[in-house]
Amino acid sequence: MNMKLMKEFFATFVIINTVSLLLACNVLAAEYDIPEGKQRLIGQIQYHQVEQGDFFQKIAEQYNVGFLALLAANPSIDPFLPEVGTRVVIPSAMLLPFIKQEGIVVNLPELRLYYFEPDKNKVHVFPVGIGRQGLATPKATSYISEKRKDPVWRPTKAMKERYLKEKGVVLANEVPPGANNPFGKYALRLGTSEYLIHGTNKRFGIGMRASSGCIRMYDDDIKWLYDNVALQTRVRIIDQPIKMSYENGQRQLIEIHEPLTEEPGKQTIKLANAVQRFVGSNRNYWHQLVPVIEKPTGLVIELEEGEQDEGKTY
């Protein structure tokens, strides 16, 4: 199903399931202790048994994970009409990105935001929505320059022209706070740029490439950041589709996500020298990795000795 049809189907489906979605529990960001030494594994995999009325957006909100992350981890399950009793894998185990552990880190391919709480050895993890193809969220190093409560949305000239051309919609010069405001209730500005980390009035889009370049979050999540993140906090937006770790100096863990691309259908995993050195010449390891390279699941996999179709997942 292409993205346009998927969105249209989902819009209809959400209307039918509004009541059940509102009753779903939206779990706040997961908080983890930062592992000691060079270890990077945090969290643990969870499972959800489908109940009547469940669908992936509802499940994603219940466990505070991204929609596409849930889709990648469960490729054989219908995201809109999952069969009752089916076991859904919740991708709630992950490897920390390979970067200095401070401030806010947004790793674009995995559609996650990490906040390393200063002086507490804690990391908080949130699903985010990022810029769609053609309007990609840029890689950058910046900082939180401004915090806005009940922000006013002022579409840019380029955005007005795009909406008029693509949708025949004339956007207002500004939209005041309220239910129709695309920024939601809170926004954090990045440096002197036009880019924001903000809430949204459209819940479908968190954990997807669906914005005009800004970083979207669930309402509860952006409120938490607004309340807890200080001005001048460093922000780094990175592109790491592959993350690796030696746990306890022995276990080899790897996590692979769909790489970003501006051309639909042309995603390719580029195996950097560091990845090839990590896997080495062990044919069994490569045998376990090939299916994941061809179709990334975003799950943490332990490479294991012996003939196996796939490694152990976390």
Side-chain angles (χ1 to χ4, degrees), residues 128-183:
V128 295
I130 63 172
R132 62 183 181 271
Q133 290 173 330
L135 294 167
T137 302
K139 292 182 291 182
T141 297
S142 188
Y143 61 96
I144 300 299
S145 62
E146 183 183 355
K147 298 166 71 172
R148 304 175 187 172
K149 183 178 180 180
D150 295 323
V152 174
W153 183 60
R154 297 182 177 90
T156 64
K157 180 181 178 181
M159 188 178 295
K160 289 180 181 179
E161 292 173 350
R162 187 171 61 252
Y163 265 68
L164 184 59
K165 180 181 178 180
E166 295 178 358
K167 304 179 181 181
V169 174
V170 178
L171 293 177
N173 290 329
E174 64 177 44
V175 176
N180 295 322
N181 191 307
F183 284 165

Side-chain angles (χ1 to χ4, degrees), residues 268-288:
T268 55
I269 295 288
K270 295 181 180 179
L271 297 180
N273 291 336
V275 178
Q276 298 189 44
R277 288 195 300 270
F278 179 81
V279 180
S281 59
N282 189 313
R283 296 183 65 179
N284 291 330
Y285 286 0
W286 285 110
H287 181 70
Q288 294 164 44

Side-chain angles (χ1 to χ4, degrees), residues 116-280:
F116 296 92
E117 196 168 359
D119 305 319
K120 290 191 178 180
N121 201 46
K122 300 283 187 181
V123 59
H124 302 259
V125 185
F126 307 82
V128 295
I130 63 172
R132 62 183 181 271
Q133 290 173 330
L135 294 167
T137 302
K139 292 182 291 182
T141 297
S142 188
Y143 61 96
I144 300 299
S145 62
E146 183 183 355
K147 298 166 71 172
R148 304 175 187 172
K149 183 178 180 180
D150 295 323
V152 174
W153 183 60
R154 297 182 177 90
T156 64
K157 180 181 178 181
M159 188 178 295
K160 289 180 181 179
E161 292 173 350
R162 187 171 61 252
Y163 265 68
L164 184 59
K165 180 181 178 180
E166 295 178 358
K167 304 179 181 181
V169 174
V170 178
L171 293 177
N173 290 329
E174 64 177 44
V175 176
N180 295 322
N181 191 307
F183 284 165
K185 298 177 181 178
Y186 300 91
L188 309 178
R189 188 182 183 193
L190 301 184
T192 59
S193 74
E194 295 179 343
Y195 292 99
L196 303 172
I197 302 173
H198 62 78
T200 180
N201 63 341
K202 296 180 180 179
R203 303 186 72 82
F204 185 67
I206 307 302
M208 295 184 67
R209 297 188 68 183
S211 80
S212 295
C214 288
I215 296 167
R216 294 180 182 175
M217 302 181 71
Y218 288 130
D219 288 343
D220 290 343
D221 291 346
I222 187 61
K223 183 181 187 305
W224 191 95
L225 278 190
Y226 179 91
D227 290 340
N228 291 278
V229 174
L231 290 172
Q232 305 302 312
T233 294
R234 192 179 187 191
V235 178
R236 286 156 298 167
I237 303 174
I238 62 175
D239 182 359
Q240 290 185 13
I242 300 177
K243 300 182 293 180
M244 303 165 289
S245 179
Y246 285 103
E247 297 292 302
N248 300 319
Q250 298 176 341
R251 294 183 298 154
Q252 288 180 252
L253 307 184
I254 190 166
E255 177 184 339
I256 302 178
H257 295 266
E258 197 78 53
L260 299 178
T261 179
E262 292 307 301
E263 299 181 65
K266 291 192 176 182
Q267 295 93 338
T268 55
I269 295 288
K270 295 181 180 179
L271 297 180
N273 291 336
V275 178
Q276 298 189 44
R277 288 195 300 270
F278 179 81
V279 180

